[in-house]
């Protein structure tokens, strides 16, 4: 049998001399063992996430904003390995104290960012800025690329 179930292994075949040459008989010819490569199919590779990035700056100076951090795949699943489990993007509230302004005016929403994953559900974001809310900003997130990897 092969020495491994995936990757590259070896298979060894041994011969046993059943009768030693005697009375003028010929010695056994050839090698007593043979080795060949086997199981050349690739091994499964499980997905693994790297460490979380630092938290990004808060989207507002007051009035409640969000900040995000993310992590990336160090290795993607391959050859039947397990997919990454859990989110690759985390959000938290920040600067929740009130601003002290009576009115806020918001600009238009910016363009959506690129999706954080090419498949398996990622997230993308866009933001808008205020004109009189102490330089604040708002961000929205949505899921994207929901198809299975």
């Amino acid at each position: 049998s092969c020495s491994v179930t995936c990757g590259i292994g070896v298979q060894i075949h041994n011969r046993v001399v059943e009768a030693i040459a005697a009375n003028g008989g010929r010695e056994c010819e050839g090698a007593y063992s043979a080795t060949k490569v086997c199981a050349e199919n690739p091994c499964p590779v499980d997905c693994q996430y790297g460490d979380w990035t630092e938290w990004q700056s808060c989207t507002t100076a007051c009035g409640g904003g969000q900040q995000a951090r993310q992590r990336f795949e160090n290795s993607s699943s391959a050859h039947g390995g397990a997919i990454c489990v859990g989110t690759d993007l985390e959000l938290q509230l920040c600067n929740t104290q009130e601003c002290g302004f009576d009115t806020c005016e918001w600009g238009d929403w910016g363009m959506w960012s690129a999706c954080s994953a090419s498949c398996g559900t990622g997230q993308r974001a866009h933001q808008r800025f205020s004109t009189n809310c102490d330089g604040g900003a708002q961000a929205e997130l949505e899921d994207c690329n929901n198809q299975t990897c």
Side-chain angles (χ1 to χ4, degrees), residues 20-123:
I20 297 174
N23 302 322
R26 292 185 324 173
E27 294 287 329
C28 292
E29 293 181 10
Y32 289 105
S33 69
T35 303
K36 72 175 187 174
V37 174
C38 58
E40 296 181 45
N41 51 319
C43 294
V45 176
D46 293 338
C47 178
Q48 290 186 333
Y49 280 126
D51 293 333
W52 288 100
T53 62
E54 295 295 320
W55 287 103
Q56 295 175 352
S57 299
C58 190
T59 57
T60 63
C62 59
Q66 289 183 338
Q67 57 188 162
R69 68 178 183 170
Q70 62 187 118
R71 60 184 176 172
F72 300 94
E73 291 181 7
N74 281 343
S75 64
S76 299
S77 63
H79 314 295
I83 63 170
C84 279
V85 176
T87 183
D88 60 352
L89 182 66
E90 283 187 336
L91 299 173
Q92 71 178 10
L93 295 176
C94 55
N95 296 338
T96 56
Q97 74 278 8
E98 293 203 23
C99 293
F101 294 98
D102 290 336
T103 59
C104 289
E105 294 179 23
W106 294 98
D108 293 334
W109 287 101
M111 302 223 6
W112 286 100
S113 66
C115 191
S116 64
S118 58
C119 60
T121 306
Q123 288 194 318

